[in-house]
Amino acid sequence: MHTPYGLYVVVLSFFVQIQHVASVTSSGNATYAIIEKDVVIIGGGASGAHAAVRLREDYGKSIVIVEKQEDLGGHVETYIDPVSGNPYDYGVNSYTEYGGAEEFFTRFNISLQTPVRPTLTTTYADFQTGEVLDGYEAPPSANVTAGLQKYLEICEQYEDLILPSYVNFPETNAPEDLLLSFGEFVTKYGLEAIVPRVFQVTGLGLGNIVDELTLYVMQAFGAPIVRTFLGQKNSWVPTTKRNQDLYDNIAALLGNDVLFRSTVVESQRTNDSVQVLVQDSEGKKTLIKAKRLLISSSPTAENLATFDLDQTEQDIFATWGIGAVFAGIANHPSLPVNYSIVNYPSSVVPDNWLELPQTPFIGRFEYLGDSNFRVLATGTDHYDEKQAQALAQAAFEKLAAAGTVADTQSQPLEFPAFAAHIGIHPHVPVEKLQSGFYKQLYALQGRRSTFYTGGAWAADFTTILWEYNNQYLLPKLLESFV
């Protein structure tokens, strides 16, 4: 599933261009602004925005964020209904209690509450045929709770190896449980009843989770989130019911230290400093000279294409398999209010809970409120938003043709909001894990004045990423200034 980088010719081209940039700036004839900072941060998602605040406000380092979107927050996506004015979060659903997360919300005056979900009726259907899965039996709630408790006990045995960082992950002889496919792991421990819960809550981004390594399923649905389901820890949303509020407050604090709608077009990194040429949506270019570079965006080929990767970096980043998740708001009068229509293959009947859809697929259409439904899609590494929307439309038409939803009257779905989360849950095959991959990966931290944060370096959950920053990334980055 991974995409080879093959950047040899591209890197050479960038090297020539960067030499030109350096000569222009050194001669004083630059046609773009030049700013100097201690740290330039690429990406203002959960981990990048958090690191920026802590570096500038708590450690006195000058920073600038380069953010390609028009706001901070990354996978946080909030849609405001144009009629009612009600907010609907269709990206990040809630925040899991972990580390010092609550304190970080407090410093931005974000009050929190337990999520309140609408009571929905669930219809299970095969989105390949559109037919309702008559005879399907969901796992009994008591069995799910008992399974989650047992699963938590197992997760806790390995928690310090994978959370909030991979620093303690063994170079060789990784625990056998983590290298089993999740299907094998579930069968070994008799945990079949938890599979639908794991899949529907956070597992969609992994595709068919029974075929994925248990290590990565534990990253997507591990001890911290299981504790919330068992009532041992909290999960939160802002009392405003708008997850974007936190990041809007961060943006207001950082002010001009965020370059929105901007991307890196060229870069040059040495052991002492970095230079990053940035272009905004209007074509204006800015040269950022910094002592350190912090990359928080996902290490996809597209995101890393404008960085002068050397052979060591290319070899490591080319190893990763990259997932693609799409989340959006869908509107259509045929979608049933107060329902969640969930996709499973017909082979799941009556209680074959290890049977899951094959990638690419639509996970569900889920009623949020007003006329809005949340649609979740899982694609391949080459999928884009148009393909994900087409996949949703095809599934919807099959549901209508089978009578599972009302006749569409040839009216297509509307998508007033839609977002691509490319590069979610990066993962590598077993043979790489057994060859010291994470030691090699973490050896990149600080190399060529470059540091990394984000979901590729820890569990892809906001509060866990913050703790990764606190415990690992920030101490290491700050130490490099000494």
Side-chain angles (χ1 to χ4, degrees):
M1 187 174 172
H2 68 269
T3 305
Y5 278 59
L7 295 178
Y8 306 103
V9 175
V10 181
V11 169
L12 178 61
S13 171
F14 289 164
F15 178 71
V16 172
Q17 294 173 9
I18 291 167
Q19 281 190 318
H20 174 68
V21 169
S23 65
V24 170
T25 57
S26 63
S27 66
N29 296 321
T31 58
Y32 39 77
I34 301 175
I35 61 177
E36 297 187 13
K37 298 288 183 177
D38 290 323
V39 184
V40 53
I41 301 170
I42 309 304
S47 56
H50 174 270
V53 170
R54 296 227 57 208
L55 283 168
R56 198 187 81 169
E57 300 298 306
D58 300 338
Y59 297 108
K61 298 299 181 184
S62 61
I63 62 93
V64 61
I65 295 178
V66 179
E67 171 53 50
K68 66 181 178 181
Q69 298 183 158
E70 61 185 14
D71 50 27
L72 299 179
H75 294 168
V76 170
E77 311 284 355
T78 301
Y79 171 70
I80 306 299
D81 187 277
V83 177
S84 69
N86 292 327
Y88 294 103
D89 289 308
Y90 62 96
V92 172
N93 234 0
S94 61
Y95 299 98
T96 300
E97 180 182 358
Y98 194 80
E102 191 168 8
E103 179 183 351
F104 193 66
F105 284 104
T106 299
R107 75 188 290 174
F108 288 98
N109 299 313
I110 302 295
S111 57
L112 300 169
Q113 68 178 35
T114 301
V116 178
R117 313 293 186 199
T119 301
L120 304 178
T121 300
T122 301
T123 296
Y124 298 98
D126 184 339
F127 284 19
Q128 293 295 314
T129 65
E131 299 283 349
V132 172
L133 295 173
D134 291 325
Y136 172 65
E137 300 174 8
S141 59
N143 292 18
V144 175
T145 300
L148 288 175
Q149 183 61 59
K150 186 174 182 180
Y151 178 60
L152 175 59
E153 293 170 1
I154 300 168
C155 287
E156 288 177 337
Q157 296 176 32
Y158 309 118
E159 189 169 7
D160 68 332
L161 301 184
I162 60 178
L163 295 176
S165 73
Y166 284 107
V167 171
N168 296 326
F169 197 84
E171 184 175 0
T172 58
N173 300 317
E176 179 185 351
D177 280 347
L178 300 181
L179 304 184
L180 294 174
S181 73
F182 192 59
E184 294 170 333
F185 173 83
V186 161
T187 301
K188 176 180 177 179
Y189 290 104
L191 299 174
E192 289 82 358
I194 75 169
V195 172
R197 177 72 58 88
V198 175
F199 179 65
Q200 288 296 331
V201 172
T202 60
L204 292 173
L206 291 170
N208 188 328
I209 61 172
V210 299
D211 294 333
E212 188 52 79
L213 294 184
T214 299
L215 168 65
Y216 295 115
V217 177
M218 282 189 181
Q219 286 288 80
F221 192 98
I225 196 167
V226 177
R227 292 186 186 109
T228 68
F229 279 99
L230 294 175
Q232 299 176 13
K233 292 288 185 178
N234 296 318
S235 63
W236 310 298
V237 294
T239 54
T240 60
K241 301 179 182 178
R242 185 176 182 273
N243 286 330
Q244 187 62 46
D245 282 349
L246 171 65
Y247 295 96
D248 287 351
N249 290 0
I250 292 175
L253 172 70
L254 296 180
N256 292 333
D257 284 338
V258 184
L259 303 181
F260 289 110
R261 296 179 292 277
S262 299
T263 56
V264 176
V265 293
E266 298 175 16
S267 64
Q268 184 179 51
R269 296 174 294 144
T270 71
N271 292 332
D272 302 313
S273 63
V274 299
Q275 294 190 45
V276 177
L277 185 63
V278 174
Q279 180 172 290
D280 67 16
S281 58
E282 297 179 353
K284 177 184 176 182
K285 291 183 178 180
T286 301
L287 180 65
I288 303 169
K289 297 181 178 182
K291 297 173 184 175
R292 301 291 181 265
L293 169 66
L294 176 57
I295 297 177
S296 73
S297 54
S298 183
T300 64
E302 180 181 3
N303 288 343
L304 293 177
T306 52
F307 293 94
D308 53 329
L309 301 183
D310 63 19
Q311 189 62 56
T312 298
E313 293 165 332
Q314 290 181 49
D315 290 344
I316 292 175
F317 290 130
T319 303
W320 257 317
I322 300 296
V325 176
F326 302 84
I329 299 291
N331 297 153
H332 198 283
S334 295
L335 288 170
V337 170
N338 294 323
Y339 274 77
S340 177
I341 308 174
V342 176
N343 179 24
Y344 281 113
S346 57
S347 55
V348 77
V349 177
D351 56 3
N352 302 314
W353 299 315
L354 293 180
E355 294 293 313
L356 299 172
Q358 296 296 319
T359 306
F361 62 84
I362 299 298
R364 61 183 180 269
F365 294 98
E366 175 184 36
Y367 181 67
L368 296 178
D370 292 318
S371 61
N372 302 305
F373 289 75
R374 187 182 188 220
V375 57
L376 297 170
T378 300
T380 67
D381 51 355
H382 298 297
Y383 246 60
D384 59 25
E385 291 185 26
K386 288 185 178 180
Q387 289 172 296
Q389 290 179 3
L391 192 66
Q393 180 64 37
F396 175 63
E397 291 174 359
K398 289 177 180 177
L399 291 168
T404 302
V405 301
D407 189 346
T408 68
Q409 302 295 320
S410 299
Q411 178 182 344
L413 290 169
E414 294 182 1
F415 299 102
F418 210 82
H421 300 162
I422 308 297
I424 193 170
H425 303 309
H427 52 279
V428 297
V430 169
E431 57 270 20
K432 290 293 183 179
L433 291 173
Q434 293 174 323
S435 301
F437 174 77
Y438 283 111
K439 183 175 181 179
Q440 298 165 29
L441 177 68
Y442 273 62
L444 295 181
Q445 294 283 8
R447 192 171 179 272
R448 302 178 69 198
S449 302
T450 304
F451 293 82
Y452 302 87
T453 185
W457 305 81
D460 202 3
F461 289 90
T462 297
T463 55
I464 298 175
L465 290 171
W466 293 350
E467 198 61 20
Y468 161 84
N469 281 350
N470 291 336
Q471 289 190 21
Y472 174 79
L473 183 279
L474 292 173
K476 195 168 186 65
L477 193 157
L478 292 166
E479 183 183 2
S480 75
F481 283 93
V482 178

